Amino acid sequence: MKLYTKRGDDGTTGLFGGKSVAKSHPRVAAYGDVDEANAVIGAAVSVCKDSETIAALRQIQDDLFVVGAELATPPPEVSNVQTTEVHISRLEQWIDKASDEVPPLQTFILPGGTQSAAFLHVARTVVRRAERSVVELSQVEVVSNSVIVYLNRLSDLLFAMARRENFRAGKPDVAWHANPSDADSENRLKT
């Protein structure tokens, strides 16, 4: 079987259930952003060294396929896989575990640190965009609220994981300073 089908050459794509829509349709944008988030998480996996984090990220990649399937299934069709409270609860448990390991936040922090933390921060921002796309879609079509909640929790988890990656590597969070003349900003330039 060839990889290319030529069916999308006219700028449309097929959704589950057989309906065709423009590739610029909000539903396609939403599941496309979820797919991009999945790819960036895969990049984070490639640089992570912690087996617990890798296992969680691989589970999340599987979950994002469920999210994508739901988004690619327009009403009145119903996806044969659903994002559930089980998916969300698992993320919350991981958030709590990662957050308990690091010092409490005292200020906003800058994304970065170790390579794995940096990738997790990039993944977090892509997930936030996916969440915005899904919310935008939900304003014109029916979308499961569980999908929106899942993406919201996922971005929180990726933030917590990034902080934990830095903490485990002995890299402190870098505080954000609104005023560039703060004494700490000169020290940041040296590190």
Side-chain angles (χ1 to χ4, degrees):
M1 180 167 104
K2 292 185 178 183
L3 183 60
Y4 57 91
T5 63
K6 300 184 182 183
R7 288 189 298 241
D9 290 353
D10 65 351
T12 64
T13 192
L15 301 175
F16 291 146
K19 180 179 177 183
S20 285
V21 295
K23 290 182 178 182
S24 60
H25 189 281
R27 185 167 292 281
V28 179
Y31 72 70
D33 286 346
V34 168
D35 185 39
E36 184 180 352
N38 203 337
V40 175
I41 289 170
V45 167
S46 75
V47 297
C48 280
K49 294 175 179 36
D50 179 68
S51 60
E52 177 186 10
T53 302
I54 291 169
L57 293 174
R58 287 290 187 212
Q59 179 61 60
I60 290 163
Q61 287 188 289
D62 286 340
D63 292 351
L64 288 176
F65 265 83
V66 173
V67 170
E70 279 191 85
L71 293 171
T73 308
E77 303 293 324
V78 178
S79 175
N80 62 352
V81 291
Q82 302 284 318
T83 305
T84 67
E85 183 58 39
V86 171
H87 297 98
I88 296 165
S89 178
R90 184 173 48 227
L91 294 182
E92 290 171 348
Q93 290 170 13
W94 288 338
I95 293 166
D96 292 343
K97 187 173 182 184
S99 297
D100 287 346
E101 192 174 325
V102 300
L105 273 175
Q106 302 297 318
T107 184
F108 290 111
I109 62 169
L110 299 177
T114 64
Q115 188 177 22
S116 57
F119 270 100
L120 289 166
H121 277 297
V122 171
R124 173 184 56 80
T125 64
V126 175
V127 169
R128 283 286 189 212
R129 179 165 21 95
E131 180 186 8
R132 290 190 301 271
S133 294
V134 172
V135 168
E136 184 176 348
L137 173 63
S138 76
Q139 294 170 349
V140 294
E141 292 191 15
V142 175
V143 173
S144 166
N145 190 59
S146 294
V147 168
I148 297 169
V149 173
Y150 181 87
L151 294 172
N152 189 36
R153 293 299 182 286
L154 178 55
S155 62
D156 292 339
L157 173 60
L158 294 168
F159 179 80
M161 285 179 159
R163 289 195 70 220
R164 183 176 65 187
E165 287 290 307
N166 283 336
F167 181 77
R168 287 179 174 176
K171 287 202 171 263
D173 292 325
V174 176
W176 168 73
H177 296 281
N179 185 347
S181 65
D182 287 349
D184 191 49
S185 64
E186 187 174 319
N187 292 332
R188 274 194 273 153
L189 294 174
K190 295 176 185 174
T191 58

